[in-house]
Amino acid sequence: TQLLEQSPQFLSIQEGENLTVYCNSSSVFSSLQWYRQEPGEGPVLLVTVVTGGEVKKLKRLTFQFGDARKDSSLHITAAQPGDTGLYLCAGPSNTGNQFYFGTGTSLTVIP
Amino acid sequence: GAVVSQHPSRVICKSGTSVKIECRSLDFQATTMFWYRQFPKKSLMLMATSNEGSKATYEQGVEKDKFLINHASLTLSTLTVTSAHPEDSSFYICSAGQTTNQPQHFGDGTRLSIL
């Protein structure tokens, strides 16, 4: 099992604040994906990062893949209540036979 | 875009019943699908990798005889929870991608409640 540890586990912030979620592993990943999940639904893909050092932006969300491809971060600028949800990083195993999820970060944005 | 359909979305049944959950890839072929279990406010825990035309690969600690997986075609995988008990109550989610190294697309999950 290739573990993906996310921090923080829970985050509650006021609307308009900025936040960063971290996804760390001791293993190298060929790619990492970030998903957002709402209660009772399946995860929805936000972004895929492939190249070490890569930075991708999706409106107010900025994703970065570590140079060594062992970690990633998600930064949200000026958080809004609609950003509330469970954020998950995930990636394929070295063999490609498994697809593992991080431990998850539950974000609540208070209006 | 790619779509994965999971059925049923909700099951409530008595202890001892076997329950089958279907996962279909609607517009692409998936030689591999993944089955996950999720507890409230927790992340997805990989249960098994479903391989078309061959046996599923189960993660450590997952009972093969309890969670039967069949992947008979390139667009359909099924998970059968056999002789379900209350402790099997959970949210089960499947995923599929065109390859395992590509982003996965998820079904909407099945909420299983065993009374």
Side-chain angles (χ1 to χ4, degrees):
Chain A
T1 302
Q2 292 172 235
L3 294 176
L4 286 164
E5 294 285 342
Q6 285 183 239
S7 62
Q9 185 178 0
F10 297 98
L11 189 55
S12 182
I13 61 172
Q14 294 289 331
E15 181 177 0
E17 293 183 349
N18 302 332
L19 67 115
T20 302
V21 178
Y22 299 93
C23 173
N24 294 294
S25 176
S26 58
S27 303
V28 175
F29 281 83
S30 58
S31 67
L32 279 179
Q33 286 85 48
W34 283 92
Y35 295 82
R36 178 169 165 268
Q37 185 185 26
E38 299 206 27
E41 299 180 6
V44 175
L45 178 68
L46 297 174
V47 78
T48 300
V49 286
V50 178
T51 306
E54 181 178 8
V55 176
K56 282 192 173 179
K57 291 192 175 184
L58 183 65
K59 296 184 180 178
R60 294 176 293 100
L61 278 60
T62 302
F63 304 86
Q64 185 164 6
F65 201 12
D67 291 340
R69 290 185 288 128
K70 292 183 178 181
D71 57 270
S72 181
S73 64
L74 157 61
H75 182 79
I76 301 179
T77 303
Q80 299 177 0
D83 296 328
T84 294
L86 181 65
Y87 288 83
L88 300 157
C89 63
S93 66
N94 289 336
T95 62
N97 293 330
Q98 290 93 5
F99 193 80
Y100 293 114
F101 275 83
T103 48
T105 297
S106 180
L107 171 65
T108 302
V109 182
I110 303 166
Chain B
V3 177
V4 171
S5 173
Q6 190 172 337
H7 179 80
S9 59
R10 178 92 193 229
V11 180
I12 302 173
C13 57
K14 294 181 179 179
S15 183
T17 306
S18 291
V19 179
K20 180 185 285 188
I21 303 170
E22 294 186 348
C23 181
R24 295 180 184 273
S25 57
L26 297 183
D27 58 357
F28 65 97
Q29 294 183 330
T31 56
T32 301
M33 293 184 179
F34 299 104
W35 286 97
Y36 297 88
R37 184 172 180 176
Q38 186 176 30
F39 293 102
K41 297 197 175 183
K42 297 292 185 182
S43 185
L44 281 70
M45 180 187 74
L46 180 64
M47 298 174 65
T49 302
S50 173
N51 303 300
E52 188 269 335
S54 64
K55 291 182 179 180
T57 305
Y58 289 82
E59 293 297 297
Q60 191 172 8
V62 178
E63 297 178 60
K64 300 179 183 181
D65 296 332
K66 161 67 82 174
F67 300 101
L68 298 179
I69 291 173
N70 183 276
H71 196 152
S73 78
L74 288 170
T75 58
L76 174 64
S77 174
T78 60
L79 168 67
T80 301
V81 184
T82 61
S83 187
H85 291 286
E87 58 266 30
D88 298 324
S89 298
S90 192
F91 193 55
Y92 293 87
I93 308 177
C94 69
S95 77
Q98 291 178 306
T99 70
T100 55
N101 285 309
Q102 289 190 334
Q104 297 295 300
H105 300 278
F106 289 83
D108 283 335
T110 298
R111 173 72 59 193
L112 176 62
S113 300
I114 308 298
L115 304 178

